[in-house]
Amino acid sequence: MPETVEIFEMGPRDGLQNEKRQIPASEKIALVDLLSSAGFRRIEVTSFVSPKWVPQLADAAEVMAGITRAPGVSYGVLTPNMKGYDGAKAARASEVAVFASASEGFSKANLNATISESLERFVPVTEAARRDGLPVRGYISVVTDCPFDGPTPPASVACVAAALRDMGCYEISLGDTIGQGRPETVDAMLAAVLDEIPAERLAGHYHDTAGRALQNIDASLARGLRVFDAAVGGLGGCPYAPGAKGNVATEKVALHLAGQGYATGLDMDVIGKAAAMARSMRGEKDV
Amino acid sequence: MPETVEIFEMGPRDGLQNEKRQIPASEKIALVDLLSSAGFRRIEVTSFVSPKWVPQLADAAEVMAGITRAPGVSYGVLTPNMKGYDGAKAARASEVAVFASASEGFSKANLNATISESLERFVPVTEAARRDGLPVRGYISVVTDCPFDGPTPPASVACVAAALRDMGCYEISLGDTIGQGRPETVDAMLAAVLDEIPAERLAGHYHDTAGRALQNIDASLARGLRVFDAAVGGLGGCPYAPGAKGNVATEKVALHLAGQGYATGLDMDVIGKAAAMARSMRGEKDV
């Protein structure tokens, strides 16, 4: 039996959040419902953030209410603060996530807070989640390169990762938000983080801006990571990171992993359909 | 339920036949055995042609003897003449195939015969196959463009297709051997062929040399075709067609078809693994 590697589907949230066209909730719901039959164990649906920050996801509650939940699939949402957490809980999210930056420059731009301030905000969220029995995932942005501060010191990533772990995050997703990581820098970053957290509790979240996401996944596989974030159709990007092209495509990662003998258990017919749906949602021609 | 489109896997034969390195039979057998679990209904395994012509496939009998046959999968081979047919029959091929050219220039270069002469050679093969109860598929090369004669008249393709049908071919695969077809030329070619043969008995076999194979598949879907030839990893090319890059990749076609709501029923984990295996057999790095 081949070893399993899990892809955590990011399309509906990280994939769509920066689209300029306001995508109707019905389209988002259709995408999530399609993804629910693809074989994913976890799908990130939306983000309960201020509509001022991410207008695209202002319909978070409506989307969560509209999806048809499949057995065995966890529907996650981002929750930057208690207001977001309350919304997520009311929307019956299966799990929530908090997100910190590994660099001060990106933290300031993306969260309007220092790293410490952002971590403090998450404490009540993670405490409430623990009381409510909701798993919390932690994201860390710009784990190798920051558009404002330059290369990110591996120790900074390890430090933030440890803080998120201490708050109770069951898994830390390490994000190369601007897709500038290289296998060497990813490896050095992982070496530092692994001193704090075992590979089983880490995930790689690599953007494909420079076409190196698969190489960075390989570097992470070599370090023992077995969970990777991706978005069908290669959706996404980052408004605060000029030139960031988007999440690595789920279909690309799945075929690549299979090529190395790992099984993702994803259904090619559904993934292909979802990738086309996602691309058409952002006005791209199916190719 | 989505409509099904079938991909006829060409990798082991059309994909490998032009590789310079003599690939050991054991590697070919491993590829076929892997493909057998991918969900294909038909796999073209090898060609019983003179080793002088295609040295890479001189091990046809050994490969056929070595593969493990899966229930419900048809293992096809090319049989240009009676000697080839006898070899195929002895090797217990599930089906055989004959191949003609739509242009005189390519026929001369590829088969060392005029189109008429090549068709005459196939008559005893198709007669023997009928007696033995073996299905025969017909291929036509250079259906839109010939490297020697220029654009192929659609009427020439229709004429050869009718001849193959009259010989008893259950399906005619229309090959854009050098990958120079365009949706318009494919459409014009199909219009002519469909006057002779219904879409249910046609297949599209498009090479991706110019990156237009998916467009040509779309043009064919619009004309009612529901079978396409492809090779995992985009293997193949043609030694008589300089610059011909190879068969369109099975994984690319499967995702594209799924994107339009068609199901191929292929297993993403197996396809990804087979594509990597195929690429490594021709010395390419997995990407």
Side-chain angles (χ1 to χ4, degrees):
Chain A
M1 285 297 293
E3 188 181 354
T4 294
V5 170
E6 183 190 355
I7 297 180
F8 194 144
E9 175 59 36
M10 295 283 127
R13 196 276 305 172
D14 199 20
L16 293 180
Q17 69 182 11
N18 303 312
E19 284 304 301
K20 288 202 177 60
R21 173 179 82 96
Q22 185 60 44
I23 299 167
S26 59
E27 290 185 29
K28 297 171 183 169
I29 291 165
L31 179 62
V32 174
D33 285 352
L34 181 56
L35 291 167
S36 287
S37 64
F40 296 108
R41 223 162 48 80
R42 294 182 284 176
I43 300 170
E44 199 162 78
V45 176
T46 186
S47 185
F48 282 81
V49 295
S50 165
K52 271 193 304 184
W53 285 18
V54 187
Q56 182 62 260
L57 303 182
D59 57 7
E62 185 183 354
V63 171
M64 285 299 285
I67 60 171
T68 303
R69 299 174 193 224
V73 179
S74 176
Y75 297 91
V77 304
L78 288 199
T79 52
N81 49 39
M82 277 311 290
K83 191 173 174 205
Y85 179 80
D86 291 339
K89 189 181 164 190
R92 297 192 301 115
S94 318
E95 64 181 273
V96 298
V98 295
F99 45 100
S101 166
S103 81
E104 292 294 353
F106 195 82
S107 189
K108 188 76 188 156
N110 195 37
L111 301 170
N112 197 28
T114 66
I115 296 173
S116 294
E117 285 166 355
S118 74
L119 292 171
E120 276 166 37
R121 278 185 207 157
F122 301 148
V123 172
V125 173
T126 55
E127 283 178 351
R130 187 180 306 118
R131 278 195 305 275
D132 296 331
L134 276 184
V136 184
R137 196 179 200 224
Y139 286 94
I140 306 180
S141 307
V142 296
V143 294
T144 59
D145 299 86
C146 171
F148 310 106
D149 299 354
T152 305
S156 303
V157 186
C159 178
V160 175
L164 291 172
R165 174 206 56 203
D166 292 345
M167 274 184 226
C169 290
Y170 76 95
E171 184 175 273
I172 316 281
S173 172
L174 302 161
D176 176 15
T177 313
I178 59 170
Q180 297 304 306
R182 299 176 170 278
E184 311 81 69
T185 55
V186 167
D187 183 68
M189 178 272 295
L190 289 175
V193 175
L194 285 163
D195 279 344
E196 293 286 345
I197 300 174
E200 307 82 68
R201 292 182 63 182
L202 297 175
H205 178 114
Y206 305 129
H207 283 215
D208 207 22
T209 320
R212 290 194 295 266
L214 296 184
Q215 294 173 44
N216 294 336
I217 285 173
D218 287 346
S220 308
L221 286 166
R223 283 280 186 186
L225 274 67
R226 293 295 181 269
V227 177
F228 297 97
D229 299 350
V232 284
L235 286 177
C238 176
Y240 304 105
K245 256 203 312 198
N247 288 262
V248 64
T250 300
E251 58 275 22
K252 191 172 170 178
V253 178
L255 288 167
H256 179 75
L257 288 169
Q260 301 185 53
Y262 297 105
T264 61
L266 297 175
D267 184 315
M268 196 164 200
D269 287 334
V270 181
I271 293 295
K273 195 172 171 181
M277 183 187 282
R279 283 193 301 260
S280 82
M281 285 165 76
R282 57 177 186 188
E284 285 184 20
K285 224 178 137 277
D286 182 36
V287 285
Chain B
M1 284 296 292
E3 188 181 356
T4 293
V5 170
E6 183 189 353
I7 297 180
F8 194 143
E9 174 58 38
M10 296 281 125
R13 195 278 303 173
D14 198 20
L16 293 179
Q17 67 182 10
N18 304 312
E19 283 303 301
K20 288 204 176 59
R21 172 178 82 97
Q22 185 60 45
I23 298 167
S26 60
E27 289 186 29
K28 297 171 183 170
I29 291 164
L31 179 61
V32 174
D33 285 351
L34 182 56
L35 291 167
S36 287
S37 64
F40 296 107
R41 224 163 46 82
R42 295 181 284 175
I43 300 169
E44 200 161 79
V45 177
T46 186
S47 185
F48 282 83
V49 294
S50 165
K52 271 193 306 183
W53 285 18
V54 188
Q56 182 63 261
L57 303 183
D59 57 7
E62 184 182 355
V63 172
M64 285 298 285
I67 61 172
T68 303
R69 298 173 193 225
V73 180
S74 176
Y75 297 91
V77 304
L78 288 197
T79 51
N81 50 38
M82 278 310 292
K83 192 173 172 203
Y85 179 79
D86 292 338
K89 190 182 163 188
R92 297 191 303 115
S94 317
E95 64 180 275
V96 297
V98 295
F99 44 101
S101 166
S103 81
E104 292 295 351
F106 195 81
S107 188
K108 188 74 187 159
N110 195 37
L111 301 170
N112 197 29
T114 66
I115 296 173
S116 293
E117 285 166 356
S118 74
L119 291 172
E120 276 166 37
R121 279 185 206 155
F122 300 148
V123 172
V125 173
T126 55
E127 284 178 352
R130 189 178 307 117
R131 277 195 306 275
D132 295 332
L134 276 184
V136 185
R137 195 181 201 224
Y139 286 95
I140 307 180
S141 308
V142 295
V143 295
T144 58
D145 300 85
C146 170
F148 309 108
D149 300 354
T152 304
S156 303
V157 186
C159 179
V160 175
L164 291 171
R165 174 205 57 203
D166 292 345
M167 274 184 225
C169 290
Y170 76 94
E171 184 174 273
I172 316 283
S173 172
L174 302 160
D176 176 14
T177 313
I178 59 170
Q180 296 305 305
R182 298 177 171 276
E184 311 81 68
T185 55
V186 166
D187 183 69
M189 177 273 294
L190 290 175
V193 174
L194 285 163
D195 279 343
E196 293 286 345
I197 300 172
E200 306 83 66
R201 292 182 63 182
L202 297 175
H205 178 114
Y206 305 129
H207 284 216
D208 207 21
T209 320
R212 290 193 296 267
L214 296 184
Q215 294 174 43
N216 294 336
I217 285 173
D218 288 346
S220 309
L221 286 166
R223 285 280 186 185
L225 274 68
R226 293 295 181 268
V227 177
F228 297 96
D229 299 350
V232 284
L235 286 177
C238 176
Y240 305 105
K245 255 202 313 196
N247 289 263
V248 63
T250 300
E251 58 276 22
K252 191 171 169 179
V253 177
L255 289 166
H256 179 73
L257 288 170
Q260 301 186 51
Y262 297 105
T264 61
L266 297 176
D267 184 316
M268 197 163 199
D269 287 336
V270 180
I271 293 295
K273 196 171 171 185
M277 185 187 280
R279 284 194 300 261
S280 82
M281 284 165 76
R282 58 178 186 187
E284 287 184 20
K285 223 177 138 278
D286 182 35
V287 283

